[in-house]
Amino acid sequence: MIIIGEKINGAIPSTGKAIAEKDAEFIRNLAIKQTEAGADYIDVCASVDDDIEMETMKWLIDIVQDATDVPIAVDSPNVITCIESLKLCKKPGLFNSVSMEGDKIDAAFKAIADTKWECVALLNSDKGIPKTAKDRLDVFHDIMAKCKEYGIDPSRMHIDPLIEMLCTSEDGINMVTEVIREIKKAYPTIHVTGAVSNISFNLPARRIANQAFAVLAMNAGMDSFILDPLNKDMMGMLFATEAMMGEDEYCMEYIGAFREGIFTK
Amino acid sequence: MSTIAEVKTLVETGKSKKVGAAVQGALDAGLAAQSILDGMIESMGVVGEKFSAGEIFVPEMLIAAKAMSKGVEVLKPVMAGDNATSLGTCVMGTVAGDLHDIGKNLVVMMLESSGFDMVDLGVDVPADKFVEAVKENDNVVLVACSGLLTTTMPALKEAVQTVKAAYPDMKVIVGGAPVTPEYAAEIGADGYAPDAGSSAAKAKQLIGA
């Protein structure tokens, strides 16, 4: 199970405010808190205007690297920003993200091919977000063909099947879980990731829907989660689900995480 | 080269894959097999106490016992024929009409880890089966009866009293969720333990070890 801590993202109002005010202490604290909460990667996304994105990324990455040893997920819709940002990182992290939109994936894969960086890949293309499982899997196979071309092992990939809001879906999450199952069937060592809270847009009591989604997605094969690790209920739910799936011998991971305070009674 | 302290830490933290090598390392360092075994038994005592105190959970007790048995496997050939290490035999079972085995298995494990040779009669054991087992096995010093249901409490009483009628001096220990120290005394048992963690200490106390 891989936890990608999402809190350092300028799109979150409190983080956006800290970035605008250059409040380094606020960012530093988010890095430390997420580390203590068991994050495997600290996502860093500036979410600012293009002309100051790179300098903002540098400012954020420097603060995070000073605060924690947890690797960074360099996160930008602009692939060049990700490529430039990864050069600033002291250790290999997660490239977040590529897709089959344009020729971004070539630039990105060229940059990480001979490194230990892992990579998030979204299942959209120039045609947008595919509506059916089959179309998403077509994009997936195109991505895997690129992996092969650049010699990137599937185990370095975190495929994001694209989680969309539940409230306008006609089949719940069945299409997404089908995609997840097919991906894992084709490449057992690959990771499947996603921004968990997308599921609950426009619903009340979002944390409940988020948890239900996490359980079912995990059961389908999702093993990498972009979320707020400070949410102890969610973290407990993930550890419990992992144990229920028979992937936690003697519940030692569950007990260990409880003891570390990652979730509580 | 390993020390007894290392072996003990590995047992207490349930590192079953590493204990064997550490025990071998301790033997290679010239430490006596008996003192290594005593160290591991002491560790299981600590584990039992922590469990009773609610500091650790059932699976942690399980993996500690599993780790210890890995260590014992290495010691066995070295200590073969050396009977001084056993506290004697304990016959244990869940009483007639009761099919619960998890608690009973935990106690078997904890008593075994503390130095008893265990004879596990399983579940749904009729009273006279306990008596037969005492007769058939060597050096039986303790009978342990488990009952998890309020409806099988009479069977617990029958088991204890049947054993006591046949072997008045035999020590009998009882336990199980509905059992209380008062009930244990009332039906003539010598001892009671509230959980697997404290069962070993109580058992040793009963036989004067």
Side-chain angles (χ1 to χ4, degrees):
Chain A
M1 187 165 80
I2 296 158
I3 303 295
I4 303 162
E6 69 183 4
K7 292 193 77 83
I8 303 180
N9 186 324
I12 298 170
S14 55
T15 306
K17 184 165 172 275
I19 290 172
E21 293 170 359
K22 288 273 181 285
D23 184 350
E25 204 43 46
F26 186 93
I27 302 299
R28 188 183 161 77
N29 190 41
L30 285 181
I32 293 168
K33 284 269 162 57
Q34 292 186 102
T35 300
E36 289 167 354
D40 298 291
Y41 293 98
I42 306 286
D43 195 84
V44 173
C45 181
S47 292
V48 293
D49 293 338
D50 289 350
D51 56 334
I52 57 163
E53 189 186 21
M54 205 47 234
E55 64 186 76
T56 308
M57 283 300 277
K58 183 181 186 318
W59 180 73
L60 290 169
I61 288 168
D62 287 346
I63 295 168
V64 173
Q65 292 193 122
D66 184 55
T68 176
D69 288 331
V70 175
I72 290 174
V74 291
D75 184 356
S76 169
N78 181 342
V79 97
I80 304 304
T81 304
C82 287
I83 292 170
E84 290 306 312
S85 296
L86 74 82
K87 295 176 188 162
L88 304 172
C89 295
K90 290 183 207 153
K91 58 164 74 168
L94 186 63
F95 193 105
N96 188 11
S97 58
V98 300
S99 70
M100 285 308 286
E101 231 177 310
D103 53 6
K104 287 176 177 178
I105 194 165
D106 288 288
F109 279 8
K110 213 172 282 169
I112 66 164
D114 297 322
T115 71
K116 286 193 156 46
W117 279 75
E118 302 200 355
C119 184
V120 175
L122 315 178
L123 299 189
N124 59 324
S125 66
D126 291 329
K127 292 180 225 155
I129 297 178
K131 293 275 174 275
T132 66
K134 189 197 162 293
D135 290 349
R136 283 195 198 189
L137 288 166
D138 284 347
V139 177
F140 168 66
H141 289 297
D142 289 345
I143 290 170
M144 296 317 289
K146 287 285 181 194
C147 287
K148 203 169 173 199
E149 188 183 329
Y150 288 92
I152 294 170
D153 192 83
S155 63
R156 288 171 60 194
M157 296 302 295
H158 298 239
I159 305 299
D160 184 340
L162 299 175
I163 301 160
E164 294 170 290
M165 66 179 102
L166 176 69
C167 64
T168 54
S169 167
E170 286 173 10
D171 72 338
I173 62 163
N174 290 326
M175 190 269 274
V176 162
T177 51
E178 187 190 335
V179 171
I180 296 172
R181 287 199 169 88
E182 291 298 323
I183 290 171
K184 288 296 263 197
K185 203 158 81 184
Y187 298 91
T189 62
I190 209 164
H191 301 292
V192 178
T193 195
V196 172
S197 62
N198 285 3
I199 198 73
S200 60
F201 275 134
N202 297 308
L203 283 175
R206 293 183 61 179
R207 64 194 170 84
I208 306 283
N210 292 344
Q211 287 180 29
F213 171 77
V215 171
L216 292 174
M218 200 169 184
N219 190 45
M222 184 176 276
D223 65 338
S224 169
F225 301 85
I226 302 169
L227 46 73
D228 174 6
L230 305 189
N231 180 341
K232 293 188 183 221
D233 286 346
M234 175 60 87
M235 293 296 280
M237 192 63 83
L238 294 178
F239 278 98
T241 305
E242 190 177 46
M244 306 272 168
M245 289 170 61
E247 289 172 7
D248 180 4
E249 204 184 0
Y250 292 110
C251 298
M252 296 311 287
E253 297 286 336
Y254 180 87
I255 292 171
F258 170 76
R259 234 177 233 135
E260 284 171 34
I262 288 172
F263 58 93
T264 50
K265 281 187 199 174
Chain B
M1 301 279 278
S2 314
T3 65
I4 289 178
E6 283 168 73
V7 172
K8 288 179 70 174
T9 305
L10 292 171
V11 168
E12 282 169 42
T13 52
K15 299 284 188 281
S16 58
K17 285 178 189 146
K18 294 184 182 162
V19 170
V23 168
Q24 191 58 55
L27 287 172
D28 294 347
L31 294 163
Q34 183 63 50
S35 55
I36 301 169
L37 183 65
D38 289 345
M40 290 197 289
I41 290 173
E42 207 179 297
S43 288
M44 286 307 292
V46 172
V47 168
E49 279 166 25
K50 281 187 179 167
F51 176 74
S52 297
E55 285 172 36
I56 64 168
F57 301 92
V58 165
E60 292 172 295
M61 194 163 72
L62 268 172
I63 59 166
K66 206 172 141 190
M68 167 150 181
S69 67
K70 291 283 176 198
V72 170
E73 270 173 33
V74 176
L75 290 181
K76 253 184 193 160
V78 184
M79 301 180 81
D82 187 356
N83 265 334
T85 59
S86 174
L87 294 176
T89 302
C90 171
V91 167
M92 170 150 206
T94 304
V95 298
D98 200 327
L99 298 173
H100 290 86
D101 70 346
I102 295 174
K104 183 263 299 166
N105 292 348
L106 284 172
V107 174
V108 166
M109 206 179 70
M110 291 306 286
L111 294 188
E112 193 156 41
S113 301
S114 68
F116 286 92
D117 290 322
M118 295 303 294
V119 175
D120 185 351
L121 302 177
V123 297
D124 193 15
V125 180
D128 44 11
K129 200 75 187 287
F130 284 99
V131 175
E132 273 171 41
V134 174
K135 203 181 302 172
E136 284 166 9
N137 290 282
D138 293 334
N139 193 25
V140 178
V141 294
L142 182 70
V143 174
C145 307
S146 167
L148 261 292
L149 298 167
T150 47
T151 50
T152 50
M153 290 298 94
L156 192 64
K157 180 178 177 183
E158 195 194 337
V160 172
Q161 296 188 343
T162 307
V163 170
K164 281 289 187 181
Y167 297 94
D169 296 331
M170 179 59 64
K171 297 295 181 193
V172 180
I173 184 171
V174 295
V179 184
T180 61
E182 293 73 27
Y183 184 75
E186 188 190 316
I187 64 175
D190 299 286
Y192 157 83
D195 56 57
S198 54
S199 63
K202 188 69 193 178
K204 282 161 98 172
Q205 183 205 329
L206 284 183
I207 64 157

